[in-house]
Amino acid sequence: MVHPLLLLYCTQLRTAIFKANLQDAWRRIAIPSYFNLDEVAAAIVQAFDFDPEHLYRFINKDRLGRTLEFNHPVVEIPPDTCDFRLGDLSLEVGSHLQFIFDLLQEWEFDLYVEKIEPANDKMKKPKILESYGEPPAQYGEEEESWE
């Protein structure tokens, strides 16, 4: 069941344009508002070529200043990322959404909302619009070969 204080339903479909920052690298990504936060996480992780097999959470500060956390379904601490769509959040141009990936390593992505556009009926999945920099190595330095 969706907590009524958290649900800020988007009455029209939109596309959010994020600048996703991780250390010295960033990706500009268009994501439809009907995607749930689990799907948003997959898009961000894929854009940075990370292994998706880790837990994560989103942290959002709403218009009233409340901090809301949305957790990976396996964490079992509601609310769950599968239960909320991007359009359910009170995002507007200039908003930041924090994405913590791999709860042990705590890769901290800053998702900055650059634009909110009308929905594009042809867009069925997130799209990387622009890339800058190489993402950091997810697991540290590459190990030397044992030859």
Side-chain angles (χ1 to χ4, degrees), residues 35-135:
F35 270 54
N36 69 35
L37 295 180
D38 204 41
E39 295 167 317
V40 172
I44 302 300
V45 168
Q46 183 177 12
F48 284 86
D49 297 319
F50 272 25
D51 173 6
E53 299 300 317
H54 294 279
L55 303 177
Y56 51 80
R57 82 171 44 95
F58 286 92
I59 301 171
N60 179 51
K61 189 170 274 194
D62 71 9
R63 291 181 182 141
L64 301 175
R66 295 176 297 190
T67 299
L68 309 171
E69 292 189 17
F70 304 89
N71 295 293
H72 185 284
V74 174
V75 174
E76 295 183 358
I77 299 173
D80 185 311
T81 54
C82 290
D83 294 335
F84 287 86
R85 299 193 180 283
L86 188 58
D88 294 336
L89 305 180
S90 59
L91 297 176
E92 52 193 38
V93 173
S95 296
H96 290 266
L97 181 60
Q98 187 178 20
F99 174 55
I100 308 296
F101 177 73
D102 186 346
L103 299 181
L104 292 175
Q105 295 294 321
E106 292 192 341
W107 290 101
E108 188 174 329
F109 294 78
D110 175 53
L111 308 179
Y112 174 74
V113 181
E114 290 189 323
K115 294 182 191 175
I116 297 177
E117 299 180 340
N120 178 345
D121 292 338
K122 295 178 185 176
M123 178 181 271
K124 302 296 181 205
K125 61 183 184 177
K127 181 177 180 182
I128 299 173
L129 304 174
E130 191 175 352
S131 294
Y132 174 81
E134 290 295 318

